[in-house]
Coordinates of all heavy atoms in Angstrom, one line a residue:
G1 N 5.2 5.1 9.4 CA 6.0 4.2 10.3 C 6.0 2.7 9.9 O 5.9 1.9 10.9
A2 N 6.0 2.4 8.7 CA 5.9 1.0 8.2 C 7.1 0.6 7.4 O 7.8 1.5 6.9 CB 4.6 0.8 7.4
D3 N 7.3 -0.7 7.3 CA 8.4 -1.2 6.5 C 7.9 -1.5 5.1 O 6.9 -2.2 4.9 CB 8.8 -2.6 7.1 CG 9.9 -3.2 6.4 OD1 10.4 -2.6 5.4 OD2 10.3 -4.4 6.8
P4 N 8.5 -0.9 4.1 CA 8.1 -1.1 2.7 C 8.0 -2.5 2.3 O 7.2 -2.9 1.4 CB 9.2 -0.3 1.9 CG 9.7 0.7 2.8 CD 9.6 0.1 4.2
A5 N 8.9 -3.4 2.9 CA 8.9 -4.8 2.5 C 7.6 -5.5 2.9 O 7.2 -6.5 2.2 CB 10.1 -5.5 3.2
A6 N 6.9 -4.9 3.9 CA 5.7 -5.6 4.3 C 4.6 -5.5 3.2 O 3.7 -6.3 3.2 CB 5.2 -4.9 5.6
L7 N 4.7 -4.5 2.3 CA 3.7 -4.3 1.3 C 3.7 -5.3 0.2 O 2.8 -5.4 -0.6 CB 3.7 -2.8 0.7 CG 3.0 -1.8 1.5 CD1 3.6 -1.6 2.9 CD2 3.0 -0.4 0.8
I8 N 4.9 -5.9 0.0 CA 5.0 -6.9 -1.1 C 5.0 -8.3 -0.6 O 5.1 -9.3 -1.3 CB 6.3 -6.7 -1.9 CG1 7.6 -6.8 -1.0 CG2 6.3 -5.3 -2.5 CD1 8.9 -6.7 -1.7
Q9 N 4.9 -8.5 0.8 CA 4.8 -9.8 1.3 C 3.4 -10.4 1.1 O 2.4 -9.7 1.1 CB 5.1 -9.8 2.8 CG 6.6 -9.5 3.1 CD 6.9 -9.3 4.5 OE1 6.0 -9.3 5.4 NE2 8.2 -9.1 4.8
P10 N 3.2 -11.7 1.0 CA 1.9 -12.3 0.9 C 1.1 -12.1 2.2 O 1.7 -11.9 3.2 CB 2.2 -13.8 0.6 CG 3.6 -14.0 1.2 CD 4.3 -12.7 1.0
G11 N -0.2 -12.2 2.0 CA -1.1 -12.1 3.2 C -2.0 -10.9 3.0 O -1.9 -10.1 2.1
R12 N -3.0 -10.8 4.0 CA -4.0 -9.8 3.9 C -4.1 -9.0 5.2 O -5.1 -8.5 5.6 CB -5.4 -10.4 3.6 CG -5.5 -11.2 2.3 CD -6.9 -11.7 2.0 NE -7.0 -12.4 0.8 CZ -8.1 -12.8 0.3 NH1 -9.2 -12.7 1.0 NH2 -8.1 -13.4 -0.9
R13 N -2.9 -8.7 5.8 CA -2.9 -7.9 7.0 C -3.4 -6.5 6.7 O -3.1 -6.0 5.6 CB -1.5 -7.9 7.6 CG -1.1 -9.2 8.2 CD 0.4 -9.2 8.7 NE 1.2 -9.0 7.5 CZ 2.5 -8.6 7.6 NH1 3.0 -8.3 8.8 NH2 3.2 -8.5 6.5
R14 N -4.1 -5.9 7.6 CA -4.9 -4.7 7.4 C -3.9 -3.5 7.1 O -4.1 -2.8 6.1 CB -5.7 -4.4 8.6 CG -6.6 -3.1 8.4 CD -7.6 -2.9 9.5 NE -8.4 -1.7 9.3 CZ -8.1 -0.5 9.8 NH1 -6.9 -0.4 10.5 NH2 -8.8 0.5 9.5
Q15 N -2.9 -3.3 7.9 CA -2.1 -2.1 7.7 C -1.3 -2.1 6.4 O -1.3 -1.1 5.7 CB -1.1 -1.9 8.9 CG -0.2 -0.7 8.8 CD -0.9 0.6 8.9 OE1 -2.1 0.7 8.9 NE2 -0.2 1.7 8.9
P16 N -0.7 -3.2 6.0 CA 0.0 -3.2 4.7 C -1.0 -3.1 3.5 O -0.8 -2.4 2.6 CB 0.6 -4.6 4.6 CG 0.9 -5.0 6.0 CD -0.3 -4.4 6.8
A17 N -2.3 -3.6 3.7 CA -3.3 -3.5 2.7 C -3.7 -2.0 2.5 O -3.9 -1.5 1.4 CB -4.5 -4.3 3.0
R18 N -3.9 -1.3 3.7 CA -4.2 0.1 3.6 C -3.2 0.9 2.9 O -3.5 1.8 2.1 CB -4.4 0.6 5.1 CG -5.6 0.1 5.8 CD -5.6 0.6 7.3 NE -5.9 2.0 7.4 CZ -5.1 2.9 7.8 NH1 -3.8 2.6 8.0 NH2 -5.4 4.2 7.8
L19 N -1.9 0.6 3.3 CA -0.8 1.4 2.7 C -0.6 1.1 1.2 O -0.3 1.9 0.4 CB 0.5 1.2 3.4 CG 0.4 1.7 4.9 CD1 1.8 1.6 5.5 CD2 0.0 3.2 4.9
R20 N -0.9 -0.2 0.8 CA -0.9 -0.5 -0.6 C -1.9 0.3 -1.4 O -1.6 0.8 -2.4 CB -1.1 -2.0 -0.8 CG 0.1 -2.9 -0.8 CD -0.2 -4.3 -1.4 NE -1.2 -5.0 -0.7 CZ -1.0 -5.7 0.3 NH1 0.2 -5.9 0.8 NH2 -2.0 -6.4 0.9
A21 N -3.1 0.4 -0.8 CA -4.2 1.2 -1.4 C -3.7 2.6 -1.6 O -4.0 3.3 -2.6 CB -5.4 1.1 -0.6
L22 N -3.0 3.1 -0.6 CA -2.6 4.5 -0.6 C -1.5 4.7 -1.7 O -1.5 5.7 -2.5 CB -2.0 5.0 0.7 CG -1.8 6.4 1.0 CD1 -3.1 7.2 0.7 CD2 -1.3 6.7 2.4
V23 N -0.6 3.7 -1.8 CA 0.4 3.8 -2.9 C -0.3 3.7 -4.3 O 0.1 4.5 -5.2 CB 1.4 2.6 -2.7 CG1 2.3 2.6 -4.0 CG2 2.3 2.8 -1.5
I24 N -1.2 2.8 -4.4 CA -1.9 2.6 -5.7 C -2.6 4.0 -6.0 O -2.6 4.4 -7.2 CB -3.0 1.5 -5.6 CG1 -2.3 0.2 -5.4 CG2 -3.8 1.4 -6.9 CD1 -3.2 -0.9 -4.9
H25 N -3.3 4.5 -5.1 CA -4.0 5.8 -5.3 C -3.1 6.9 -5.8 O -3.4 7.5 -6.9 CB -4.7 6.3 -4.0 CG -5.2 7.7 -4.0 ND1 -6.4 8.0 -4.6 CD2 -4.7 8.8 -3.6 CE1 -6.6 9.3 -4.5 NE2 -5.5 9.8 -3.9
H26 N -2.0 7.1 -5.1 CA -1.1 8.2 -5.5 C -0.3 7.9 -6.8 O -0.1 8.7 -7.7 CB -0.1 8.5 -4.4 CG -0.7 9.3 -3.3 ND1 -1.2 10.6 -3.4 CD2 -1.0 8.9 -2.0 CE1 -1.7 11.0 -2.2 NE2 -1.6 10.0 -1.4
A27 N 0.0 6.6 -7.0 CA 0.7 6.2 -8.3 C -0.2 6.4 -9.5 O 0.2 6.9 -10.5 CB 1.1 4.7 -8.2
L28 N -1.5 6.0 -9.4 CA -2.4 6.2 -10.5 C -2.8 7.7 -10.7 O -2.9 8.2 -11.8 CB -3.7 5.4 -10.3 CG -3.5 3.9 -10.3 CD1 -4.8 3.2 -9.9 CD2 -3.0 3.4 -11.6
D29 N -3.0 8.4 -9.5 CA -3.4 9.8 -9.5 C -2.3 10.6 -10.2 O -2.6 11.5 -11.0 CB -3.6 10.3 -8.1 CG -4.1 11.7 -8.0 OD1 -5.0 12.0 -8.8 OD2 -3.7 12.4 -7.1
R30 N -1.0 10.4 -10.0 CA 0.0 11.1 -10.6 C 0.6 10.4 -11.8 O 1.6 10.9 -12.3 CB 1.1 11.4 -9.5 CG 0.7 12.3 -8.4 CD 1.6 12.3 -7.2 NE 1.3 13.4 -6.3 CZ 0.2 13.4 -5.4 NH1 -0.6 12.3 -5.4 NH2 0.0 14.4 -4.6
R31 N 0.0 9.4 -12.2 CA 0.4 8.6 -13.4 C 1.9 8.2 -13.3 O 2.6 8.2 -14.3 CB 0.2 9.4 -14.6 CG -1.3 9.8 -14.8 CD -1.6 10.7 -16.0 NE -1.7 9.8 -17.2 CZ -1.9 10.3 -18.4 NH1 -2.0 11.6 -18.6 NH2 -1.9 9.5 -19.4

């Protein structure tokens, strides 16, 4: 339930940071 644009905006808000970590995890995991 999040806005993808929030993940590329500057700042260190917790929810976008958590979802960025999840994107990184799956992107690297599946190459």
Side-chain angles (χ1 to χ4, degrees):
D3 180 3
L7 273 64
I8 60 175
Q9 292 173 356
R12 297 185 178 184
R13 288 175 296 162
R14 182 171 181 270
Q15 180 65 355
R18 292 174 71 248
L19 296 185
R20 268 197 304 274
L22 197 54
V23 171
I24 297 164
H25 168 81
H26 286 293
L28 296 175
D29 185 39
R30 290 165 170 79
R31 303 179 78 183

